[in-house]
Amino acid sequence: MTDLFHKLRLIRTPGIGPAKYAQLIRQFGSAAAAAQLAAGDDVTDAVRREMDRAAALGIHYICDDDDLYPAALRGIKNHPPVITARGNIKTLGRAAVAMVGTRHATAAGMGFMADMAREFATRGMAVVSGMAMGTDTAAHRGALRAAGDAQTIAVLAGGADYIWPVENESLYWDIVGRGVVISEMPVGYMPTATNFVQRNRWVAGICDKLILGEADLKSGSMTTARFAIESNRPVFAVPAHPSDPRSAGPNSLIRAGHATICTGISDFFDGDVVPQTKNEKNVTSENILLDRLGMIPLSESVLSDVVKKSISEIKRDLVVLELQGLVRKVDGGYVRM
């Protein structure tokens, strides 16, 4: 605990990032010695408060010399020397696949990514994404439809306790319950724009491979894909119709030879997809409802008959799914986004 305290004092000192941190450790021999010179009383007090808050919230600190620190991320230059994690930290030991794309994905695009995410999770891989709306949400939700736990990792731009976007609050708690959220930022930290770019780098760094769904050329997910390419991670891209701006990102990577075409889970595993059985445990009621929705609108009364739940329960679950951007109300009922 003492060593962690000094590491936090050093990395939380303004002006000291991962590169400077490593330089100071080499120069002074230890975090304690470096922090003694670099960290003032205000930083020390802030670190004590942060550690107290983390303990109260059940948030773990994982240093880059710990066995639990993701091995792939440790291999990235200037990786975070300390990360925080909330949830099932054993998830960080799994092989991981990153799945990213636009916040404004089509219903078909999100369904494709969600289905693949479930297949990866069913086969024991952790699905990594950034918990944004759209594609990220579809990837996390798809992974959570697999049985068991340790299916997904959300890399956050803010502190591990800072839920953003607020529409994904229920998703956050589902991930904490059956996967893990991680961050390099202090507990309680509210993210700025630059933090999201760095978050994208760690999404790419923690994975063994990355799959890019729908994305325009200037999207953050394209930045994540470029980080993956720079880190020598295999990149796969889902092709789309060229008239849709959301096809520009994946199609450009395929055309340039930077990504392999992704047509489905069969690109990664031999044999048929794993069927989803009625006996799977830990599947939330919202996920059950989502699985029944598609491109054809279904009314609340029809859904009530299909899912065998009351109208009031159906309405509650639909509100949650609509806030998450997973369903949309149209004439005739609800469709899956």
Side-chain angles (χ1 to χ4, degrees):
M1 181 61 71
T2 302
D3 188 44
L4 170 63
F5 175 67
H6 294 307
K7 288 179 177 179
L8 287 174
R9 287 176 65 210
L10 187 57
I11 195 61
R12 300 296 192 240
T13 298
I16 296 180
K20 185 67 173 179
Y21 174 95
Q23 176 189 332
L24 290 171
I25 294 292
R26 290 192 299 269
Q27 182 177 349
F28 293 99
S30 69
Q36 189 67 28
L37 294 174
D41 292 341
D42 53 342
V43 172
T44 299
D45 292 341
V47 167
R48 288 198 179 100
R49 290 193 299 271
E50 179 190 341
M51 293 182 73
D52 288 343
R53 179 177 173 84
L57 296 175
I59 294 174
H60 303 269
Y61 289 97
I62 303 175
C63 301
D64 61 358
D65 55 358
D66 293 342
D67 291 339
L68 284 170
Y69 195 94
L73 184 59
R74 187 187 292 117
I76 298 296
K77 183 179 180 181
N78 297 331
H79 59 266
V82 182
I83 61 174
T84 54
R86 192 178 198 182
N88 184 353
I89 57 178
K90 292 182 179 179
T91 310
L92 298 174
R94 286 196 172 190
V97 53
M99 301 184 70
V100 298
T102 180
R103 291 173 173 80
H104 309 291
T106 63
M110 287 192 289
F112 181 86
M113 296 292 272
D115 289 343
M116 276 210 306
R118 185 182 73 84
E119 296 297 336
F120 278 117
T122 299
R123 289 168 168 83
M125 295 188 71
V127 174
V128 185
S129 204
M131 215 181 82
M133 300 298 287
T135 304
D136 287 15
T137 293
H140 290 304
R141 283 291 181 195
L144 289 168
R145 291 208 293 272
D149 56 15
Q151 308 102 323
T152 190
I153 301 169
V155 185
L156 306 185
D161 60 329
Y162 189 84
I163 302 173
W164 185 262
V166 294
E167 293 87 350
N168 268 348
E169 181 175 3
S170 68
L171 174 60
Y172 172 91
W173 290 115
D174 286 343
I175 295 173
V176 169
R178 300 176 59 208
V180 67
V181 298
I182 66 170
S183 173
E184 68 167 327
M185 304 310 296
V187 177
Y189 181 82
M190 182 183 298
T192 62
T194 56
N195 297 129
F196 288 93
V197 176
Q198 193 73 323
R199 183 274 309 271
N200 293 344
R201 186 174 183 227
W202 306 142
V203 169
I206 201 173
C207 73
D208 301 298
K209 62 177 68 70
L210 180 140
I211 300 173
L212 176 69
E214 296 166 322
D216 61 59
L217 287 173
K218 295 182 179 180
S219 66
S221 51
M222 279 294 287
T223 303
T224 308
R226 293 187 188 100
F227 282 136
I229 293 167
E230 292 170 4
S231 301
N232 297 314
R233 304 291 193 261
V235 174
F236 298 81
V238 181
H241 196 282
S243 65
D244 190 332
R246 290 166 290 198
S247 72
N251 289 358
S252 68
L253 293 183
I254 294 169
R255 183 173 59 250
H258 296 315
T260 302
I261 291 178
C262 174
T263 60
I265 199 68
S266 60
D267 294 337
F268 308 95
F269 301 100
D270 294 328
D272 296 329
V273 298
V274 179
Q276 189 168 0
T277 69
K278 294 182 180 179
N279 294 324
E280 287 183 349
K281 299 178 180 179
N282 297 323
V283 179
T284 66
S285 59
E286 292 94 340
N287 286 341
I288 294 172
L289 182 60
L290 185 62
D291 286 339
R292 301 302 187 271
L293 287 167
M295 303 298 290
I296 299 175
L298 294 179
S299 67
E300 294 167 349
S301 59
V302 169
L303 288 169
S304 177
D305 290 337
V306 171
V307 182
K308 306 302 180 186
K309 298 177 70 174
S310 68
I311 293 288
S312 61
E313 290 175 309
I314 291 295
K315 287 182 177 180
R316 178 203 64 195
D317 292 346
L318 285 170
V319 167
V320 173
L321 292 171
E322 195 167 13
L323 287 173
Q324 293 168 353
L326 297 178
V327 304
R328 180 164 57 93
K329 189 173 185 178
V330 298
D331 291 340
Y334 288 82
V335 296
R336 183 170 171 173
M337 295 290 287

